[in-house]
Amino acid sequence: MKVLGADIGFGYTKASDGKQFQVFKSVVGEANEAQFSETLLPGATAFPRHIQIGNQSFFIGELAEQQSRGRGFTLDQNQFLGQYARTLALAAMAPFVDSGDPVRLVTGLPISFFRKYKEPLTNLLQTRHTIHVVKTGTPEREEKIINIERVRVIPQPFGSMFNLMLSDIGKPASQRFISEKIGIIDVGFRTADYTISEKTRYSERGSQSSDSGIAVAYTAIANALQEKSGVNIELYRLYDGVSKGTIKIKGKRYDLSGIVQHAFQQLATRIAQEVNRLWADDWDIDAIVLTGGGGTALAPFLTPLLEGEVLPMPADQDARLNNVFGYWKYGQHLWGA
């Protein structure tokens, strides 16, 4: 039996078996037959990004961004679940699974989507899936059966809490996160999730999702760039430019530093207002944890605006992986030997 964690996000999809992990953009594209398929330089991804499900063949993640003529990317939950979630999840899990072996999976949903989509997501994933994995640059196709016998869906930000609370064998590892009242702010791409863990118990009153994901800032950046360049840039193609502070469009380089700072400051203010209002009666919170890829980006702007002690984000950790590592640890807690 294999325990996996998978975080099927609007911006990035991540998976881990506790030993390895992978992260790729949540983009699905048509698999085109390339006339020249060899990579020009070494260093391609170690994990395949080309899979076939039934009669349909897909490029996934960055390969879809680079090679597919038709690409799919959405911020709509119904469309995401109906068209993309299964393909992204299977591509994420495939490298960590031996064909036919039983798999137990922990994944998550934003708090606002949890009640409505928990059962549909479980039903979508909890079955035997037959796929073909295509090795990059070759016509070789390996049939693989991903046999998911059990799925546990949890509120998304609790992945980060379990990552802090549990060891790699799923046992309690940090007394602070077990015995104290902790607020969690998980800024993802589409949503921002706020929750409270009071001695490991979920607080319904202190939990909600909002549409204040990092996509709000990216949309503002894209709009500003369109005014300057005349080009409408897909949000997922802004990731590198935002991180580097510049982007080249049709041969002209644009400085993004001012645009990004303004967009991030506005979004941080919006999130802080939502959190401070939601947790107004929870003045006894011991500490606040920022997590998610958006949490990392917004931390310098958001931390001074929050009411309470905000724990510093470790500089040596990729906060995008906090939830998926926590899902895996929780799986170890539930089903580990």
Side-chain angles (χ1 to χ4, degrees), residues 111-112 192-195 202 204-210 274 278:
I111 291 166
S112 61
D193 286 277
Y194 319 127
T195 192
Y202 173 79
E204 183 70 35
R205 181 189 68 192
S207 301
Q208 73 172 36
S209 292
S210 82
E274 292 173 349
L278 177 66

Side-chain angles (χ1 to χ4, degrees), residues 238-279:
L238 281 174
Y239 298 165
D240 291 341
V242 169
S243 64
K244 293 175 182 176
T246 65
I247 190 170
K248 185 182 283 188
I249 303 173
K250 294 186 175 180
K252 182 177 179 180
R253 187 163 294 280
Y254 294 84
D255 180 10
L256 294 180
S257 55
I259 299 171
V260 169
Q261 183 164 353
H262 179 69
F264 281 8
Q265 185 64 64
Q266 283 196 319
L267 179 57
T269 301
R270 172 172 161 176
I271 289 173
Q273 290 172 346
E274 292 173 349
V275 171
N276 292 334
R277 183 169 58 248
L278 177 66
W279 293 346

